[in-house]
Amino acid sequence: MKRTLATAALVAVSLVATAQAEEKVKIEFAYPYSHLFDVTYEKIMPKFNAQYPNIEVSIRATYENYEDGTNTILREAVSGNLPDVTMQGLNRQAILVEKGIARSLEPYINKEADFAKDGYHDAMLTLSTFNNEVHGLPFSVSLPVGYYNMDLMAKAGITEFPSTWSEVVETCKALKANGVENPIFWGWNITGNWFLQALMWSQDEATIEGGKFNVAGDAGLTALETMKTLFRECEMKNLEWKEALSSFSAGQVAMMFWSTSAVGAVERSQGDFTLKTGPFPGIAGTPKGLPAGGNAAMLVSQSDDPAVLEASWAWLKFITSGEGAADVARTTGYMPPNKAANEIILANFYKENPNKQTAVDQLPLLRDWQAYPGDNGLAVTQVIYDGIESIVVGESDDMKALQEELVEEVQSLLPAEGS
């Protein structure tokens, strides 16, 4: 009897151990822009599940955009309902680090013997490095480009891409004269005031310099005047950005200036026309710089369970490393911030996908997508958005007056010098 009971006890212990071994570690993940990235994670997830069958990744409702993503994380940090891993815009990482929400990845990186060999570009890691510690792994990087409906361009006899905004205006006029009702959409309403920063970096000027709003000078006025000229001379319609992408994909807009991130989405939904992408025009020739768009994966888990944290790191590392990063390029227009993805896995990819090559050719122009310092960064973004919208809808005609108004309001929201 004793032997039978002992045997039964051993079997019971074995069954419990087996059940525990098979029990999955569950983690939660949140990301923005479902129209861009849903298809990406559909590609990545089966590969991750095959490699990590004991980890279950639950995906939360997607963020509308990067501002929504940051606002959501700030709220969830207060309510104690954070996901384990979040995707945040490259220009929105700092506030999560400053508030102690994003965990340093250094303890996990230090355990990876071949981390550097895994292919991360040092320049990309610096975008997520704060106080000499990496807090995010870049997942995707974008630059602004031009999208062209070559069928509509042909109506006006145009075969070459405009290289300056003055040439863009002349192209608009030629298109209008040849029956193209909607010649242009210029992405002023893209997340994070990205196109304002593009016009500033085009002139080799930062938008934030020494903690101050650097739009007060000649470069800032030139940026505003350039927008006004484009909007007025091209008679650009005030489209919401999703509507603009849909209109271009449907063949209703001849030229669209937007992030390369949307190439995959546009190609999947485009009508019967020839699509080509071209370099982002400059103010007086080739831009001197352009802001790096994109996002990074950050560990924001509030769990103290080592298994959850290690599972979160496994997911975070997988999606940003070679194969995961390569799926970003395959399904979107983003560039992987990972040498293994670009140079090995995607060796022939860009030759076969020239519309996605355009942004890669502009990489030497890459500059920081600047964050607005302090707790009011999101409010600053909204103030600038409202100011640019006033040009689009015709409320603002005096760009010098608008410049002064923006500088005063933005500067009042930035941290005081020495604070």
Side-chain angles (χ1 to χ4, degrees):
M1 179 65 72
K2 289 182 180 178
R3 187 172 298 171
T4 303
L5 289 174
T7 301
L10 286 172
V11 170
V13 169
S14 177
L15 289 172
V16 170
T18 300
Q20 289 175 339
E22 292 177 351
E23 186 177 339
K24 290 190 175 185
V25 179
K26 296 181 180 181
I27 63 171
E28 294 191 338
F29 172 62
Y31 63 91
Y33 298 120
S34 60
H35 71 290
L36 295 181
F37 288 117
D38 281 358
V39 64
T40 306
Y41 292 111
E42 287 170 6
K43 291 276 189 183
I44 291 175
M45 193 66 76
K47 299 173 185 177
F48 179 79
N49 290 339
Q51 188 168 330
Y52 296 94
N54 64 320
I55 299 175
E56 181 179 326
V57 181
S58 175
I59 295 179
R60 292 189 176 184
T62 53
Y63 310 131
E64 176 73 12
N65 52 35
Y66 292 139
E67 284 76 27
D68 178 41
T70 303
N71 268 323
T72 300
I73 288 294
L74 291 173
R75 288 196 306 270
E76 290 172 344
V78 174
S79 64
N81 186 36
L82 286 168
D84 297 295
V85 178
T86 179
M87 284 293 182
Q88 293 289 314
L90 294 177
N91 67 327
R92 298 297 179 193
Q93 299 174 90
I95 190 170
L96 303 188
V97 175
E98 291 165 3
K99 291 186 174 296
I101 296 171
R103 293 176 180 246
S104 169
L105 299 180
E106 292 294 331
Y108 303 95
I109 291 172
N110 291 337
K111 293 179 185 178
E112 300 282 341
D114 296 323
F115 183 80
K117 295 178 183 177
D118 201 32
Y120 294 92
H121 286 282
D122 288 341
M124 300 303 181
L125 284 178
T126 61
L127 299 174
S128 300
T129 299
F130 303 89
N131 302 318
N132 297 316
E133 293 193 1
V134 175
H135 285 76
L137 292 186
F139 175 65
S140 57
V141 175
S142 64
L143 285 168
V145 297
Y147 293 69
Y148 298 94
N149 181 323
M150 299 309 294
D151 294 21
L152 292 181
M153 299 284 277
K155 280 190 173 184
I158 298 166
T159 57
E160 295 185 6
F161 301 140
S163 60
T164 65
W165 298 116
S166 295
E167 291 179 7
V168 168
V169 168
E170 293 306 311
T171 302
C172 283
K173 292 178 179 177
L175 288 163
K176 292 283 284 189
N178 285 275
V180 178
E181 182 181 346
N182 198 358
I184 187 175
F185 178 76
W186 192 86
W188 70 273
N189 49 7
I190 201 167
T191 185
N193 312 136
W194 201 45
F195 269 29
L196 171 64
Q197 295 202 21
L199 290 181
M200 291 295 289
W201 278 130
S202 291
Q203 302 171 79
D204 204 22
E205 290 283 345
T207 305
I208 296 291
E209 187 76 54
K212 293 186 176 180
F213 191 47
N214 195 38
V215 177
D218 291 342
L221 184 57
T222 297
L224 295 175
E225 292 284 6
T226 299
M227 290 186 212
K228 178 185 173 183
T229 299
L230 280 169
F231 302 155
R232 299 285 197 279
E233 297 294 326
C234 288
E235 301 178 40
M236 192 185 82
K237 294 182 179 179
N238 183 24
L239 301 177
E240 189 266 337
W241 67 268
K242 286 185 179 179
E243 181 185 2
L245 264 64
S246 295
S247 295
F248 180 83
S249 296
Q252 298 167 357
V253 179
M255 300 182 289
M256 180 175 72
F257 298 95
W258 195 256
S259 164
T260 187
S261 62
V263 172
V266 170
E267 287 179 338
R268 286 190 293 274
S269 60
Q270 78 177 82
D272 185 17
F273 66 89
T274 299
L275 164 68
K276 288 188 178 180
T277 63
F280 198 66
I283 291 172
T286 302
K288 295 178 181 178
L290 290 172
N295 54 57
M298 307 188 82
L299 180 62
V300 295
S301 179
Q302 292 171 312
S303 176
D304 293 323
D305 185 344
V308 170
L309 296 176
E310 288 294 339
S312 299
W313 167 247
W315 170 249
L316 191 155
K317 182 173 182 288
F318 186 88
I319 60 178
T320 59
S321 61
E323 190 59 44
D327 278 332
V328 176
R330 294 181 182 119
T331 56
T332 70
Y334 283 108
M335 297 167 285
N338 185 287
K339 294 177 185 176
N342 274 319
E343 297 173 8
I344 302 172
I345 301 171
L346 299 174
N348 297 315
F349 176 79
Y350 289 109
K351 293 178 183 178
E352 299 166 358
N353 294 271
N355 282 334
K356 296 180 179 181
Q357 176 72 39
T358 302
V360 176
D361 293 340
Q362 294 183 139
L363 275 174
L365 303 177
L366 190 145
R367 303 289 186 89
D368 285 350
W369 185 11
Q370 291 186 298
Y372 304 121
D375 291 341
N376 295 321
L378 292 169
V380 169
T381 301
Q382 189 62 48
V383 166
I384 297 170
Y385 180 101
D386 291 343
I388 299 174
E389 187 175 35
S390 73
I391 309 173
V392 177
V393 300
E395 291 178 0
S396 294
D397 278 316
D398 185 338
M399 294 300 99
K400 183 62 178 175
L402 178 61
Q403 178 189 39
E404 292 172 356
E405 180 183 327
L406 283 175
V407 169
E408 180 180 3
E409 192 166 356
V410 168
Q411 199 59 50
S412 71
L413 292 169
L414 297 177
E417 193 172 349
S419 64

